[in-house]
Amino acid sequence: MAKPSDELIKLCRAAIEAERVATSEPYTQEGWAAWMEAAKTFQAAVTAEAAQEPKQSRLGLEQAAKKAVLHPE
């Protein structure tokens, strides 16, 4: 299984928290802007980190980061 960096886990946590805040209220473009920016930053970091290791699966890395945040063992 892929091993996400601490920074990637931190960015994932920020995106998930921003989603929680955004979806706790009725939709507004301004209300969701922080979530969209955090998700964009996380996705860019996943792509960059996956590119560092030739055999690293981008999807596997993203899933590992989300699992670490949502389902810590």
Side-chain angles (χ1 to χ4, degrees):
M1 176 172 257
K3 175 74 170 118
S5 68
D6 291 340
E7 181 64 20
L8 195 60
I9 291 171
K10 178 182 158 193
L11 291 171
C12 181
R13 189 172 284 119
I16 289 170
E17 176 61 18
E19 176 185 15
R20 185 192 65 74
V21 170
T23 58
S24 68
E25 299 177 6
Y27 170 80
T28 64
Q29 188 172 358
E30 298 81 25
W32 282 34
W35 173 25
M36 296 295 103
E37 187 60 33
K40 180 180 170 182
T41 301
F42 171 64
Q43 291 298 324
V46 170
T47 300
E49 193 166 311
Q52 292 176 357
E53 179 81 30
K55 293 185 180 185
Q56 178 87 305
S57 163
R58 190 207 170 286
L59 176 60
L61 187 60
E62 180 180 349
Q63 289 175 335
K66 288 181 178 180
K67 182 178 179 184
V69 172
L70 297 172
H71 307 287
E73 296 176 25

